[in-house]
Amino acid sequence: AQSVTQLGSHVSVSEGALVLLRCNYSSSVPPYLFWYVQYPNQGLQLLLKYTSAATLVKGINGFEAEFKKSETSFHLTKPSAHMSDAAEYFCAVSPFTGTASKLTFGTGTRLQVTL
Amino acid sequence: DAGVTQSPTHLIKTRGQQVTLRCSPKSGHDTVSWYQQALGQGPQFIFQYYEEEERQRGNFPDRFSGHQFPNYSSELNVNALLLGDSALYLCASSDWVGETQYFGPGTRLLVL
């Protein structure tokens, strides 16, 4: 069984400040981990993914995440927030099976960026 | 290169009715998964189709059924609609041996 916990349903940062969105996972098998972003009234866009290669993963729009097995974490960071980063962010896990597997999502974190 | 497309974008139904949602996968993908996203929640996995067969299923009742066509497109059918079925329904496509799923814009279903 797999699960994801996203700490903080709402995060507010000032423009230019560090963004840190937290994700902890539970998985009985080696996981794949993903961060998706959802803008209002839209579908999900893939930001980045961890697939057992490098533990520090760089994604689009300046985001990155680090896989820490000992902490079962996959936190998302961005050095400097932009107004356009305001959106809902979802962390997701799927098992490493060699074939396409279902994604298990967290409940999401809404990021607000203020001037 | 067309991404994942879904139709319709919005739909309003009444309790007890039936609904069909449609999805065309990203070019080159052969696997389609469906997710339900209730308001304020993360997406929940409904089922996955590959080679026109249901391969995995989440914790959804039999009122939720699907189909995949030879061109890899897919339908999601929901019978006997309940108010609680109101949600954004997302389709995601992938390669069967790939780990990454790409999502469509979703169909927003409102059940009155």
Side-chain angles (χ1 to χ4, degrees):
Chain A
Q2 302 190 306
S3 66
V4 169
T5 301
Q6 291 185 241
L7 295 176
S9 58
H10 288 83
V11 170
S12 182
V13 301
S14 300
E15 191 173 37
L18 171 71
V19 175
L20 171 60
L21 304 183
R22 299 178 186 275
C23 172
N24 288 89
Y25 70 93
S26 173
S27 179
S28 55
V29 297
Y32 289 139
L33 291 158
F34 306 84
W35 276 99
Y36 285 88
V37 60
Q38 186 175 38
Y39 297 100
N41 300 312
Q42 294 189 24
L44 300 176
Q45 180 183 6
L46 180 68
L47 274 178
L48 49 78
K49 61 182 180 182
Y50 166 76
T51 56
S52 75
T55 57
L56 181 62
V57 180
K58 295 187 184 298
I60 62 171
N61 302 338
F63 284 94
E64 64 180 38
E66 186 172 9
F67 172 70
K68 293 187 176 181
K69 184 178 180 180
S70 61
E71 299 177 7
T72 61
S73 69
F74 191 57
H75 301 331
L76 181 70
T77 61
K78 182 174 181 178
S80 177
H82 294 162
M83 296 296 290
S84 60
D85 294 327
E88 187 91 19
Y89 292 80
F90 292 95
C91 181
V93 63
S94 71
F96 173 73
T97 64
T99 60
S101 294
K102 72 172 189 177
L103 291 167
T104 300
F105 286 86
T107 52
T109 297
R110 182 167 299 279
L111 176 65
Q112 180 182 18
V113 183
T114 59
L115 288 172
Chain B
D1 179 21
V4 180
T5 60
Q6 293 186 242
S7 63
T9 56
H10 294 81
L11 207 50
I12 299 175
K13 293 286 187 178
T14 56
R15 282 179 297 173
Q17 285 190 311
Q18 179 264 344
V19 69
T20 297
L21 311 181
R22 295 176 177 82
C23 171
S24 291
K26 182 178 170 66
S27 178
H29 286 175
D30 54 13
T31 303
V32 173
S33 300
W34 287 92
Y35 293 81
Q36 180 196 66
Q37 185 180 17
L39 198 62
Q41 301 295 318
Q44 298 287 320
F45 175 75
I46 303 175
F47 43 53
Q48 176 196 70
Y49 277 85
Y50 170 67
E51 289 189 332
E52 303 180 48
E53 290 188 13
E54 183 181 291
R55 299 292 177 163
Q56 298 181 63
R57 189 178 182 92
N59 188 26
F60 280 80
D62 292 344
R63 299 186 297 108
F64 289 77
S65 63
H67 188 78
Q68 186 180 35
F69 299 93
N71 67 352
Y72 309 122
S73 66
S74 176
E75 288 182 349
L76 164 65
N77 300 291
V78 187
N79 294 321
L81 284 167
L82 304 174
L83 295 180
D85 294 332
S86 295
L88 179 67
Y89 288 84
L90 294 163
C91 171
S93 76
S94 63
D95 187 284
W96 175 243
V97 295
E99 72 287 341
T100 305
Q101 297 184 30
Y102 295 88
F103 285 80
T107 293
R108 189 165 296 281
L109 172 65
L110 178 61
V111 182
L112 300 176

